[in-house]
Amino acid sequence: MRNSPRVVDFVVDFLQRQEVSHVFGVGGANIEDLYDALHHAQAGPLGVVAKHEFSAATMADGYHRASQRVPVIAATSGAGAMNLVPGIAELRASYVPALVLIGQPPAALDGRGSFQETSGLAGSIDAARMFAELAVYCVRVDDPESIVRELPRALAAATDPAAPGPAVLLLPKDVQQAVIPSWDPPAAVAPAALPLSDAAERSRAAALLRAATRRGGVAVIAGEAVARADARPQLARLTAALGAAVAVVPDAKDVADPRDPGHLGIAGAIGTAEVQEALERASAVLLAGTRLPQMAGAGLHEHLKGVPVVCVDPREPFLGAHEELVRLTGPVAAELELLEREVTTAPGPATDRPAAGHPAPDRTARHPGPAPRPVRPAAAVPDPATPLDLRTAALTVAAHLPEGATVVADAGNTGAAAIHHVDVPPGGRFIAALGMGGMGHSFGAGVGAAFATGRRTCVIAGDGAFFMHGMEVHTAVEHDLPVTFVVLNNNAHGMCATREQLFFSGDYSYNLFRPARIGDGAAAMFPGLAADTVRTAGELGAALDRAHATSSPALVCVDVDPTEMPPFRPFRQHVLLTGRGRPVREGAVPG
């Protein structure tokens, strides 16, 4: 640290004491002092320079989802700050905590037409007002010494367990450069703790669920908050105690074992009609770590108004008025564990208690509701000679994932295929951005996840996502990260092209493009990057095995057909109801 400590030196000292190891961002004139402080710090953090500020935010997103650590983002003023907007919106919508440091022109020039001015004066954009709408907390730091209290406040707001999200500090350049004569060493900010729910509410929840096991059975819809709370064991024990069938929301594939006999599959718009029907047969539904947004509960919300629902999540579910809703709002893992104890120990009616010396009743055989599926293998392995379509490519990726790998799925047809057909291996994570659904999110998120875990991360994205933010391959190459980028190239914005065919005349397309050779281009652009274009399951498997045998990045391009129907339930239902649309190839759509 320099002899005359600046505001930015205090910021870096604070980050060190919070054990922050990475700062994701893009440099620029009004944030360069922070990067200078990072350089002069004796013990990090490492400044990671992305190719675009949106991707810096998605790196932070993937970093947190893969490790639960709080990430830091840094960007400059003007266009740099504006490029952060969709990334911060995803963090907010998906409840991802992050500390966001955004440079501003010198405060001494406010209202004087400075380059990239966003002070809100003299008709300029008001950055503080704008980011206050996006973030859980936003303050413009105009007094240098106020950084000592504002930085801890921002981190505390970001990590509020009831509603975590991005917290923004706007830092004028002259404030960053200002010298703070002295300060006490900043203490680590301990995350606030959520109080447990009232015991009476937990007893009421247990009674509802136990009663449902004697009728049509209990169905569980498990969400991504289970993974973030590391509550998979608690969820498994509770569902076993209830004899419940389990569906997962699209961004929570990794919270329940797909080989379990009670596993139903994906709930919501990307799910299947069979899963929807099974959920509707249940006599009670347990929402574990999800608010049940539309992508997770499409078509189910109206039905649930007449069914007892227990929600284990500090956030209010998207159910509206509901007479038989019980909310348990404490920490997800603790609430699931206590609910399981209540379910298994609370006395029930005499007909429900085993007689002395007799085994407990087999709850899994009692209900005709959400019948469990037969045990299925972790991943079907396609024949090596099979030509590649979305489904075959996804199954092949799943079959070749190393243990502990993280999978990051992008938007569109590719994401739908990955959500259905890529089961993560033990110890792995499945990440999908369904808050804003931004195309190209996976490239930065995959880089961030690899920084967080040091293990292999597999990005599954389409060509449209690649053209938006695929240059983050360069970041992976620069840092020699273990990321495998699988680009499914149909030379189209595939989901948009499908919608043109299904919901409009289908005699035009704005979303079909001339062929692009992404694999060849990446190989030429990045010397040393292992880049392949493959056409069969065998070629894809071999390319993946070569990549996963190293600790370096790789890119595999898979050419697929733009007319393939993705596994998206609204598309399938439209075809069945109207008879309109392209022919659906066998296996292309589940259900």
Side-chain angles (χ1 to χ4, degrees):
M1 186 180 295
R2 296 186 171 195
N3 292 331
S4 299
R6 303 160 294 174
V7 165
V8 288
D9 297 315
F10 173 83
V11 170
V12 172
D13 187 26
F14 178 83
L15 298 181
Q16 288 176 337
R17 293 175 188 275
Q18 312 309 312
E19 300 183 348
V20 170
S21 56
H22 297 84
V23 174
F24 302 100
V26 179
N30 287 325
I31 199 65
E32 63 191 5
D33 297 279
L34 177 63
Y35 282 94
D36 181 67
L38 288 172
H39 170 73
H40 285 94
Q42 295 180 354
L46 173 68
V48 177
V49 175
K51 309 289 94 60
H52 190 280
E53 288 84 0
F54 170 77
S55 291
T58 67
M59 287 178 191
D61 193 348
Y63 182 90
H64 172 76
R65 296 198 208 203
S67 68
Q68 310 315 306
R69 298 203 295 275
V70 180
V72 177
I73 303 165
T76 192
S77 55
M82 299 304 150
N83 285 342
L84 277 177
V85 166
I88 292 177
E90 174 64 44
L91 298 175
R92 174 68 179 271
S94 294
Y95 296 90
V96 175
L99 183 61
V100 187
L101 308 173
I102 302 178
Q104 299 286 279
L109 298 178
D110 286 350
R112 298 170 61 184
S114 63
F115 180 58
Q116 298 181 331
E117 180 171 353
T118 52
S119 67
L121 300 177
S124 65
I125 293 171
D126 188 338
R129 183 179 175 187
M130 181 183 73
F131 284 107
E133 291 295 317
L134 291 168
V136 297
Y137 184 86
C138 179
V139 167
R140 177 182 159 108
V141 180
D142 287 316
D143 171 24
E145 293 191 7
S146 69
I147 191 69
V148 175
R149 60 179 182 274
E150 289 298 346
L151 200 52
R153 286 177 182 172
L155 183 57
T159 56
D160 180 352
V168 174
L169 291 181
L170 301 171
L171 304 172
K173 184 176 178 70
D174 48 1
V175 171
Q176 295 178 52
Q177 295 173 328
V179 173
I180 306 179
S182 63
W183 69 74
D184 294 328
V189 176
L194 279 174
L196 287 169
S197 296
D198 184 76
E201 285 297 283
R202 192 174 304 110
S203 296
R204 183 180 165 218
L208 285 175
L209 295 174
R210 294 176 74 247
T213 64
R214 299 190 295 272
R215 300 194 307 271
V218 175
V220 175
I221 304 177
E224 207 255 356
V226 172
R228 295 202 214 178
D230 197 19
R232 296 178 187 86
Q234 292 88 342
L235 176 67
R237 288 193 292 269
L238 175 57
T239 55
L242 293 168
V246 183
V248 295
V249 305
D251 58 345
K253 274 184 62 76
D254 54 329
V255 303
D257 189 343
R259 297 164 296 183
D260 190 280
H263 190 75
L264 290 171
I266 309 296
I270 299 177
T272 66
E274 288 83 357
V275 172
Q276 185 81 1
E277 292 165 4
L279 294 173
E280 291 178 355
R281 286 196 300 267
S283 289
V285 170
L286 169 65
L287 303 180
T290 178
R291 302 179 70 194
L292 205 65
Q294 283 297 319
M295 286 296 288
L300 195 60
H301 292 89
E302 195 65 27
H303 170 79
L304 289 181
K305 290 181 179 179
V307 177
V309 175
V310 174
C311 180
V312 181
D313 196 300
R315 306 162 298 178
E316 185 174 356
F318 294 112
L319 294 179
H322 194 293
E323 292 184 1
E324 288 192 276
L325 170 65
V326 182
R327 294 183 58 203
L328 303 180
T329 57
V332 171
E335 293 286 13
L336 290 173
E337 182 172 352
L338 291 171
L339 184 57
E340 184 258 333
R341 292 182 192 172
E342 187 85 24
V343 165
T344 54
T345 60
T351 56
D352 194 42
R353 294 196 299 267
H358 290 271
D362 180 5
R363 298 192 189 280
T364 62
R366 306 185 84 176
H367 58 77
R373 288 181 174 182
V375 177
R376 61 174 180 163
V381 182
D383 183 276
T386 306
L388 289 168
D389 56 15
L390 288 173
R391 179 178 180 275
T392 304
L395 290 171
T396 303
V397 169
H400 290 266
L401 288 171
E403 186 170 344
T406 299
V407 174
V408 188
D410 215 286
N413 290 1
T414 297
I419 286 168
H420 262 284
H421 303 303
V422 180
D423 292 334
V424 296
R429 273 244 56 203
F430 186 91
I431 297 172
L434 296 183
M436 292 289 117
M439 287 176 62
H441 173 279
S442 64
F443 288 92
V447 168
F451 270 120
T453 67
R455 300 192 297 270
R456 179 61 56 176
T457 297
C458 185
V459 169
I460 305 174
D463 52 303
F466 175 83
F467 289 129
M468 285 195 177
H469 292 289
M471 287 304 99
E472 297 310 325
V473 171
H474 179 267
T475 310
V477 170
E478 282 291 294
H479 292 272
D480 196 30
L481 295 172
V483 185
T484 303
F485 300 95
V486 179
V487 181
L488 300 179
N489 180 19
N490 57 12
N491 294 296
H493 286 165
M495 187 164 280
C496 294
T498 301
R499 294 180 64 84
E500 288 171 334
Q501 292 292 315
L502 289 181
F503 303 125
F504 298 93
S505 65
D507 59 355
Y508 68 90
S509 180
Y510 288 96
N511 294 290
L512 298 175
F513 312 124
R514 287 182 289 181
R517 297 167 64 180
I518 293 173
D520 294 342
M525 182 176 288
F526 303 115
L529 174 71
D532 296 280
T533 300
V534 298
R535 293 169 179 81
T536 67
E539 291 177 359
L540 175 57
L544 293 170
D545 287 344
R546 288 193 298 271
H548 299 167
T550 75
S551 59
S552 296
L555 184 144
V556 184
C557 183
V558 180
D559 290 332
V560 293
D561 186 348
T563 68
E564 182 177 352
M565 183 83 72
F568 193 58
R569 188 156 54 90
F571 292 171
R572 177 67 169 176
Q573 289 174 328
H574 185 80
V575 171
L576 294 175
L577 289 172
T578 68
R580 283 191 58 191
R582 309 182 188 96
V584 181
R585 296 197 305 280
E586 183 69 27
V589 180

